[in-house]
Amino acid sequence: GNNRHWLFTAVVAPTPPPLAPTLPPVALTPPPVAPTLPPVAPTPPPVAPTLPPVAPTLPPVAPTLPPREPCLNICFRADHSLCFDISGYGADSVANIELMPYDSNKRSQCWIAAPDGAFRSKIDGNKCITASGKRAGDNVELRDCDGSRSQVWSYKESKGRFVCMEKGYCANNAMGDIRLSKCNDRLGQKYILLNNYVSAIAG
């Protein structure tokens, strides 16, 4: 028959280009890591400076007063404004008793009534109120205590009389001086004994 011959032309695929060599995987460089810092302690609040302890405030101390001792003032009964006082006192001398303005702190106006009836001076316990004589008008003075009747006195509270037991005369105000006089009811013979406290320290 009709023989047919087929010619087949082989189609050759083109040679692909050479492949890039296979590289090993590249590790990615991580971003730089900030160094780990130790934890920071919080800033403490400022500390107040330590102050030394403050001593407590003490109340003011009252000054120490000298001790005081009891005595008597012999004063006008009417208003207590004038009292027996010592004029010109000296340890070795005789001094007159006179009336002077009342001063509760004045030792020369303070007297101690002794059990024997004498009135001793607070300035000097060896000196006593003394009638200088036995007649009306004689002075009343401060003299050494000797236990005589001229130094024994009686206070008659009801009439205010200050009576010397020597002759029974009364202490009388004679223009500021104390003198003996017959007892009467005149104001110059009316006295009162006032309790007082005076410094035990002379001065």
Side-chain angles (χ1 to χ4, degrees), residues 107-186:
R107 290 170 60 85
S108 61
Q109 291 186 7
C110 280
W111 308 92
I112 302 298
D116 60 1
F119 279 76
R120 296 174 178 267
S121 171
K122 193 63 179 173
I123 289 181
D124 183 345
N126 293 316
K127 301 282 187 178
C128 292
I129 297 177
T130 308
S132 63
K134 301 180 181 181
R135 298 176 299 176
D138 287 341
N139 288 337
V140 176
E141 300 172 340
L142 187 71
R143 294 189 177 190
D144 291 335
C145 300
D146 57 18
S148 66
R149 295 279 291 172
S150 63
Q151 294 180 348
V152 178
W153 300 82
S154 175
Y155 175 63
K156 309 295 184 181
E157 185 176 6
S158 61
K159 292 185 176 291
R161 292 174 179 170
F162 196 62
V163 183
C164 178
M165 303 307 291
E166 177 75 49
K167 286 290 185 178
Y169 287 125
C170 285
N172 183 70
N173 174 23
M175 302 296 291
D177 292 328
I178 301 299
R179 295 182 181 176
L180 297 177
S181 175
K182 290 184 178 180
C183 298
N184 56 52
D185 291 327
R186 295 177 182 174

Side-chain angles (χ1 to χ4, degrees), residues 6-12:
W6 298 89
L7 180 65
F8 292 92
T9 304
V11 179
V12 180

